[in-house]
Amino acid sequence: MRHFAIELEELKTKLLQMGGMVEAALHRSVRAVVDRDADLAKKVKEGEAAINTMEMEIDELVTKLLVLQQPVARDLRFLTSVLKINTDLERMGDLANGLAKRAQSLMNYPPLKLNIDLNHMSSLVESMLLKSLDAFLREDAYLAQQVLLSDDEVDAIRGAAYGEIIAHMQSNPADVRAGVELIFVVRNLERIGDHATNMAEGVIYMAKGVDVRHNSKTLV
Amino acid sequence: MQPKVSSMSSPSFPTKMHIEPHSSGAANTPTSKEAKMRAANLNFFYGSFQALYDIDLEIQANRITALIGPSGCGKSTFLRTLNRINETIRGTRYTGEVLLDGVDVKSQDVTALRRRVGMVFQKSNPFPKTIFDNIAYGPKVNGMTSKQDLEVTVEKSLRRAALWEEVKDKLQKPASALSGGQQQRLCIARAMAVDPEVLLLDEPCSALDPIATLKIEELLFSIKDQTTIVIVTHNMQQAARVADNTGFFMLGKLVEFDRTEMIFRNPSKKETEDYVTGRFG
């Protein structure tokens, strides 16, 4: 195998490692919110620095390969996609960290009795991240396409949840603080879904050379 | 053959833009450029060896067309069919057509053809004459006798080749005294002195350092408004930098011909991708 091909494989592995770290942070932060688990929230916050370091290492590696190898065609598409996916993963790490902070805040208030299925929303978002990473690993545009289709469902859940929380706060002013925290939880989850969507778009560009951003009509 | 992109393998994704020479509005597409030269069903033979197979390729006017491919793929052979210089090799023949402004080059006077379709080779080959006489040679052969006209032509040609400032005080010095890069630019100036409509370049920078290469590339940009350029190069970065359209040859066949940006960003054919990314072979 050519030296450049080995370096590309190493980069791919590194990005997948980072994906694994973000996946773990997301899962823990969601559990911290749902299960009111302070230890898990603490672990997420402790793990953020490692994700940030990884982001910088990946950026550095991509820049090095761009400069030294002057890649073209699929190698170039791979590297530009890695740069973007790397940024999305780091942002997801930040949002997971934000979820952990909200989990800690929410523990100061009694649980709200709301008809919001956070478990369903979070498993959808976690599944989007997992599929995006799988699609990246296998350079599978069709799997990536499924992620794009999931985003609408996440957006719909967020919209319904906002309505539910706001209505609850209007009739229970004492719960406003907890309600606002919960709005941020829902928002962070939805934003993580958006970043998973960006990642999937990056995978489609990498695999097919087609830019589907802002143009979902190009998909079947 | 127009630069175009074949369909993607999957119907689920949009096909890339089909490039038409007269299309307008879309970014980075060749616009309103006529075909200056065209090869149609071109097959070329060295004796019993077939070097080119059914080549269909259109050279757009006032564009730079790069031909890339591994050694022995036929790109230089193709280049040399454009001004019939292959005919200087015994035992060569071809079938199909090569057209210049729609007229078969076979039907044209070969001297007149080569005046219209000039050529610069890999190794610079200045005549063993002064710098001035190297440039004045072509115009003189074509009947220019006035000293003043020749001086004007020499200066104009050297300026177009971005060489004037470097040699204006030593026009009567031997051309062999120039550096390799200067000699190659002198050869381009010499070719340009007879105002060719098409300029063929066969690996013009392969022996030059990056600075001299940059000067040649800038020169190509500056003359393409007046001249149609076809360049054979092994240097893919050079093709990517200078060419509007790029053709990839392999084993005597034109595998893919498209806008340069597409060849290097998202080629349609696996063979092209393997070659430009260095996975070939």
Side-chain angles (χ1 to χ4, degrees):
Chain A
M1 194 187 264
R2 286 171 62 228
H3 182 63
F4 181 40
I6 293 168
E7 288 184 308
L8 289 176
E9 278 304 310
E10 285 172 0
L11 178 62
K12 193 175 197 174
T13 304
K14 213 168 175 61
L15 193 82
L16 288 168
Q17 279 172 356
M18 180 166 174
M21 290 157 72
V22 173
E23 222 181 314
L26 171 60
H27 185 73
R28 284 174 175 162
S29 62
V30 167
R31 293 323 320 158
V33 172
V34 175
D35 301 337
R36 301 170 77 84
D37 186 329
D39 285 345
L40 277 180
K42 192 163 168 260
K43 277 185 185 160
V44 173
K45 292 173 82 175
E46 285 169 355
E48 198 199 4
I51 292 175
N52 293 344
T53 304
M54 191 70 122
E55 183 206 15
M56 289 191 289
E57 285 175 10
I58 288 171
D59 269 358
E60 179 70 24
L61 193 51
V62 172
T63 307
K64 187 188 103 178
L65 292 176
L66 284 170
V67 169
L68 298 183
Q69 300 290 343
Q70 302 185 18
V72 296
R74 75 190 215 217
D75 297 337
L76 179 63
R77 297 201 307 271
F78 173 78
L79 289 175
T80 55
S81 296
V82 165
L83 268 185
K84 290 185 173 183
I85 290 171
N86 188 34
T87 302
D88 280 312
L89 281 173
E90 191 277 334
R91 290 294 298 132
M92 289 162 116
D94 284 349
L95 290 165
N97 194 44
L99 279 174
K101 284 182 189 164
R102 302 297 166 192
Q104 288 172 326
S105 298
L106 280 166
M107 282 171 222
N108 297 322
Y109 312 107
L112 301 185
K113 292 193 172 65
L114 291 169
N115 188 25
I116 299 172
D117 192 348
L118 274 184
N119 278 323
H120 177 56
M121 187 181 190
S122 61
S123 63
L124 257 181
V125 171
E126 285 183 62
S127 157
M128 287 171 75
L129 171 57
L130 191 64
K131 278 182 189 165
S132 291
L133 289 169
D134 269 0
F136 172 76
L137 173 66
R138 292 189 258 150
E139 302 187 16
D140 183 341
Y142 300 97
L143 186 56
Q145 195 169 326
Q146 289 175 25
V147 175
L148 307 195
L149 300 175
S150 300
D151 195 43
D152 287 345
E153 193 181 348
V154 172
D155 289 350
I157 294 172
R158 176 211 49 194
Y162 279 3
E164 182 91 8
I165 298 166
I166 290 166
H168 181 87
M169 289 192 295
Q170 282 170 337
S171 48
N172 301 277
D175 287 344
V176 164
R177 284 175 184 275
V180 169
E181 296 292 349
L182 210 49
I183 281 178
F184 278 116
V185 167
V186 172
R187 180 184 174 278
N188 278 18
L189 280 173
E190 188 269 334
R191 290 295 298 139
I192 290 171
D194 286 346
H195 285 290
T197 302
N198 291 352
M199 285 171 59
E201 288 167 347
V203 171
I204 291 171
Y205 178 71
M206 180 176 90
K208 295 283 179 185
V210 179
D211 189 347
V212 298
R213 289 175 302 169
H214 316 299
N215 191 12
S216 57
K217 285 179 186 162
T218 58
L219 296 172
V220 170
Chain B
M1 175 166 122
Q2 301 297 329
K4 66 181 182 184
V5 178
S6 61
S7 298
M8 301 288 289
S9 56
S10 158
S12 300
F13 292 90
T15 56
K16 290 179 278 182
M17 194 182 302
H18 181 97
I19 300 164
E20 296 293 344
H22 298 287
S23 68
S24 61
N28 302 322
T29 56
T31 53
S32 302
K33 293 292 177 190
E34 299 294 339
K36 183 67 184 175
M37 296 198 78
R38 182 183 178 91
N41 301 115
L42 181 68
N43 292 279
F44 189 90
F45 302 85
Y46 293 102
S48 60
F49 174 73
Q50 185 165 359
L52 294 174
Y53 294 84
D54 288 324
I55 306 297
D56 280 292
L57 189 149
E58 188 176 286
I59 308 292
Q60 291 180 330
N62 301 108
R63 297 283 180 191
I64 301 178
T65 300
L67 307 177
I68 61 170
S71 297
C73 68
K75 57 191 187 299
S76 289
T77 297
F78 175 77
L79 189 79
R80 292 198 303 260
T81 61
L82 298 178
N83 69 347
R84 292 175 53 189
I85 210 158
N86 275 331
E87 289 177 14
T88 58
I89 303 168
R90 288 184 61 174
T92 60
R93 65 191 169 88
Y94 71 89
T95 62
E97 285 183 321
V98 176
L99 307 173
L100 173 61
D101 287 335
V103 178
D104 196 334
V105 296
K106 217 185 275 185
S107 67
Q108 301 182 33
D109 172 71
V110 74
T111 306
L113 172 69
R114 288 181 194 155
R115 190 161 58 235
R116 295 177 67 192
V117 184
M119 193 159 195
V120 173
F121 298 90
Q122 181 175 2
K123 191 173 184 314
S124 57
N125 54 352
F127 300 142
K129 292 171 179 287
T130 65
I131 293 168
F132 184 94
D133 285 344
N134 261 273
I135 308 297
Y137 184 85
K140 276 184 187 168
V141 167
N142 286 302
M144 189 183 285
T145 52
S146 152
K147 187 168 178 275
Q148 193 184 357
D149 287 349
L150 285 169
E151 282 173 354
V152 168
T153 299
V154 167
E155 179 174 342
K156 188 177 84 175
S157 303
L158 287 169
R159 282 190 186 280
R160 279 200 294 197
L163 196 56
W164 174 252
E165 291 300 324
E166 293 165 57
V167 301
K168 65 182 178 187
D169 298 324
K170 46 184 174 185
L171 293 174
Q172 297 308 321
K173 294 271 171 64
S176 57
L178 296 173
S179 72
Q182 287 173 325
Q183 286 189 20
Q184 192 63 303
R185 277 184 285 148
L186 181 75
C187 290
I188 295 175
R190 189 177 65 193
M192 293 300 293
V194 293
D195 291 322
E197 295 160 47
V198 181
L199 185 63
L200 311 177
L201 302 113
D202 194 354
E203 293 272 1
C205 302
S206 62
L208 304 184
D209 69 24
I211 304 291
T213 297
L214 181 66
K215 285 185 178 169
I216 300 274
E217 290 175 2
E218 288 301 315
L219 163 60
L220 298 184
F221 283 123
S222 71
I223 62 175
K224 79 169 184 175
D225 284 347
Q226 307 131 44
T227 313
T228 299
I229 297 167
V230 188
I231 178 170
V232 162
T233 178
H234 271 123
N235 181 338
M236 281 184 285
Q237 270 78 39
Q238 179 167 64
R241 283 193 300 265
V242 303
D244 299 292
N245 299 319
T246 295
F248 169 57
F249 282 75
M250 194 166 74
L251 300 171
K253 292 178 180 162
L254 179 63
V255 175
E256 187 167 354
F257 185 48
D258 203 341
R259 295 196 332 260
T260 298
E261 183 195 338
M262 295 311 293
I263 292 287
F264 289 100
R265 198 174 66 175
N266 193 15
S268 299
K269 301 286 171 61
K270 185 178 182 304
E271 296 96 319
T272 313
E273 181 142 277
D274 286 350
Y275 183 72
V276 298
T277 58
R279 289 177 175 82
F280 177 78

